[in-house]
């Protein structure tokens, strides 16, 4: 079977999936090997996955920073989301007003950060019904469907590379990170909803703002963008908003003290949607052309082995995204339910 499995991380679950599917290649965005070593052993869980795949004849390729830096790659995909390159018209931005924040009369949840005379006696009652979040993905663009009017709500902007790659002819727009400068400032609430929708409408994600600001009043003119862990790329960027996968507590605090805002989605949640909405389709088109060319060349040979004879008869090429790949972190959704057991002291 001429099949490729796309994943962000090559975990044991993904290796099991590739073996069960009988894929030829696993394209793992993150390299499973980050440091050099002299041997592969079954004692290490990650090395075990590599050995199992090798035993099954499944290759592993990890593009990582090449995909980050490439024109039209991961960084530009995130910039497209921020600037409104969406597969259908955007919903109107809605910001909740204080009077809309109604508490349940049956089960009110008190704010633990409000100063009260008896704050040490009264504790917010936390619901115990918990749900671990499942990864969400952007829906595939439907511009190819009959009668569909593909009209992205693109916002006027300029886009530059933060750390350009130099000396590579034909890749003048390559490099790490992107800086988006809007022609007119955009409401922060609008960008939050735009980003959420672009990455699959997750239940929630961290947002940091200066302590003297309210999210409804913030206007954004510039956005620094970096997938994954963005501090090294964004640390010297003068932007109103830093959009990345993760920042440390101290890096985020330093940014808000400088008057910046921060959006983080968890590390790989800034990367996973690129596989299904961009890389899958691009790779499928390239592989189909390459495989057809290969079949024509091999078919002319007179001494084909039985394996090659069977292979060239198969004209199909399949590229799929892993169904089990997800970020290590999820979000526990607390739903209204009566507290059980003794409250924590």
């Amino acid at each position: 079977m001429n099949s490729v499995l796309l994943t962000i991380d090559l975990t044991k679950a993904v290796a099991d999936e590739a073996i069960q599917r009988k894929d030829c290649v696993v394209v793992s965005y993150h390299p499973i090997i980050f440091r050099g070593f002299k041997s592969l052993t079954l004692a290490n869980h990650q090395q075990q996955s590599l050995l199992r795949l090798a035993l099954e004849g499944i290759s592993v390729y990890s593009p990582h920073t090449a995909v980050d830096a490439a024109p039209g790659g991961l960084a530009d995909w995130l910039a497209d989301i921020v600037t409104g390159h969406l597969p259908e018209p955007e919903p109107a931005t809605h910001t909740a007003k204080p009077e809309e924040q109604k508490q349940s009369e049956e089960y009110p949840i008190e704010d633990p950060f409000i100063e009260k005379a008896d704050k040490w006696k009264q504790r917010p009652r936390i619901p115990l019904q918990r749900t671990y979040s499942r990864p969400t993905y952007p829906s595939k663009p439907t511009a190819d469907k009959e009668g569909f009017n593909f009209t992205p709500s693109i916002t006027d902007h300029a886009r530059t590379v933060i750390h350009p790659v130099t000396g590579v002819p034909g890749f003048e727009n390559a490099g790490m990170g992107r800086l988006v400068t809007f022609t007119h400032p955009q409401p922060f609430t609008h960008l939050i909803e735009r980003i959420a929708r672009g990455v699959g409408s997750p239940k929630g994600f961290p947002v940091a703002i200066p302590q003297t600001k309210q999210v409804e009043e913030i206007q954004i003119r510039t956005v620094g963008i970096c997938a994954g862990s963005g501090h090294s790329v964004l640390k010297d960027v003068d932007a109103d908003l830093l959009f990345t996968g993760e920042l440390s507590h101290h890096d985020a605090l330093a940014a808000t003290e400088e008057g910046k805002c921060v959006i983080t989605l968890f590390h790989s949640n800034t990367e996973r949607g690129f596989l299904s909405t961009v890389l899958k389709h691009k790779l499928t088109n390239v592989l189909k052309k390459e495989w057809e060319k290969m079949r024509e060349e091999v078919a002319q040979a007179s001494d084909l082995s039985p394996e090659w004879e069977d292979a060239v008869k198969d004209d199909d090429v399949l590229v799929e995204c892993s169904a089990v790949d997800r970020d290590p972190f999820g979000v526990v959704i607390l739903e209204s339910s009566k507290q059980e057991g003794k409250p924590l002291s």
Side-chain angles (χ1 to χ4, degrees):
M1 183 178 183
N2 303 317
S3 61
V4 178
L5 186 65
L6 305 181
T7 183
I8 293 296
D9 294 299
L10 179 51
T11 60
K12 180 181 181 299
V14 173
D16 290 342
E17 182 183 18
I19 292 171
Q20 183 179 8
R21 287 167 41 90
K22 301 184 184 301
D23 290 307
C24 298
V25 179
V26 173
V27 176
S28 175
Y29 168 79
H30 287 146
I32 194 171
I33 300 175
F34 267 94
R35 299 176 180 86
F37 45 79
K38 298 181 179 180
S39 63
L40 290 172
T41 73
L42 294 174
N44 180 284
H45 290 291
Q46 291 184 314
Q47 294 174 20
Q48 185 182 112
S49 293
L50 285 177
L51 289 171
R52 291 176 60 227
L53 291 171
L55 184 64
E56 297 289 338
I58 301 174
S59 303
V60 177
Y61 172 65
S62 299
H64 201 198
T65 52
V67 170
D68 290 345
L74 182 51
D76 278 318
W77 175 69
L78 292 174
D80 286 346
I81 290 174
V82 169
T83 56
H85 289 69
L86 297 172
E88 56 190 53
E90 295 182 290
T93 300
H94 173 71
T95 302
K97 298 179 180 179
E99 57 268 21
E100 296 174 343
Q101 306 287 345
K102 296 181 179 179
Q103 295 182 337
S104 168
E105 295 180 1
E106 178 182 358
Y107 186 70
I109 300 177
E110 301 176 28
D111 189 343
F113 302 106
I114 295 179
E115 291 291 338
K116 298 180 180 179
D118 55 348
K119 63 180 179 180
W120 302 115
K121 296 180 182 180
Q122 296 187 21
R123 289 184 174 274
R125 288 172 284 179
I126 306 299
L128 295 181
Q129 185 176 345
R130 297 174 172 85
T131 305
Y132 192 83
S133 65
R134 299 180 60 185
T136 57
Y137 303 91
S139 58
K140 180 181 176 181
T142 52
D144 57 341
K145 291 186 178 180
E146 184 178 355
F148 184 83
N149 182 19
F150 180 31
T151 309
S153 304
I154 303 173
T155 305
D156 289 340
H157 68 283
R159 185 182 306 187
T160 56
V161 178
I162 295 175
H163 298 286
V165 172
T166 58
V168 184
F171 291 89
E172 288 74 17
N173 294 324
M176 302 303 294
R178 297 293 185 269
L179 179 65
V180 167
T181 302
F182 292 112
T183 304
H184 304 287
Q186 301 294 303
F188 187 35
T189 52
H190 185 51
L191 296 184
I192 291 173
E193 293 192 21
R194 178 179 280 176
I195 289 170
R197 186 164 172 269
V199 299
S201 300
K203 291 292 185 181
F205 49 81
V207 174
I209 64 173
Q211 293 182 348
T212 57
K213 299 282 188 178
Q214 296 294 326
V215 67
E216 296 85 357
E217 67 187 30
I218 297 175
Q219 297 285 315
I220 301 296
R221 181 69 177 268
T222 52
V223 185
I225 301 169
C226 179
S229 183
H231 174 68
S232 61
V233 173
L234 301 176
K235 61 182 179 180
D236 297 321
V237 173
D238 183 14
D240 300 328
L241 170 63
L242 304 181
F243 173 33
T244 184
E246 62 181 350
L247 282 183
S248 73
H249 168 87
H250 298 290
D251 293 334
L253 186 62
T256 58
E257 288 294 288
E258 294 174 359
K260 300 175 182 177
C261 299
V262 177
I263 291 178
T264 61
L265 300 178
F266 295 129
H267 187 109
S268 66
N269 290 345
T270 52
E271 303 158 340
R272 186 163 290 101
F274 178 79
L275 302 185
S276 59
T277 59
V278 180
L279 186 59
K280 174 182 175 179
H281 310 295
K282 287 189 174 183
L283 190 56
T284 298
N285 292 335
V286 170
L287 289 180
K288 282 184 176 180
K289 294 177 182 178
E290 289 296 321
W291 179 234
E292 186 59 33
K293 181 180 178 181
M294 174 75 72
R295 291 177 66 224
E296 292 176 356
E297 293 176 355
V298 173
Q300 297 175 3
S302 58
D303 55 346
L304 288 179
S305 66
E307 291 81 6
W308 268 109
E309 288 181 354
D310 289 339
V312 296
K313 292 177 183 177
D314 186 1
D315 62 353
D316 192 28
V317 173
L318 183 65
V319 179
E320 294 291 346
C321 296
S322 170
V324 298
D325 175 47
R326 64 170 176 81
D327 194 88
F329 287 101
V331 178
V332 175
I333 306 299
L334 303 178
E335 300 176 353
S336 296
S337 62
K338 293 184 178 180
Q339 180 171 308
E340 300 177 3
K342 183 179 179 180
L344 297 174
S345 59

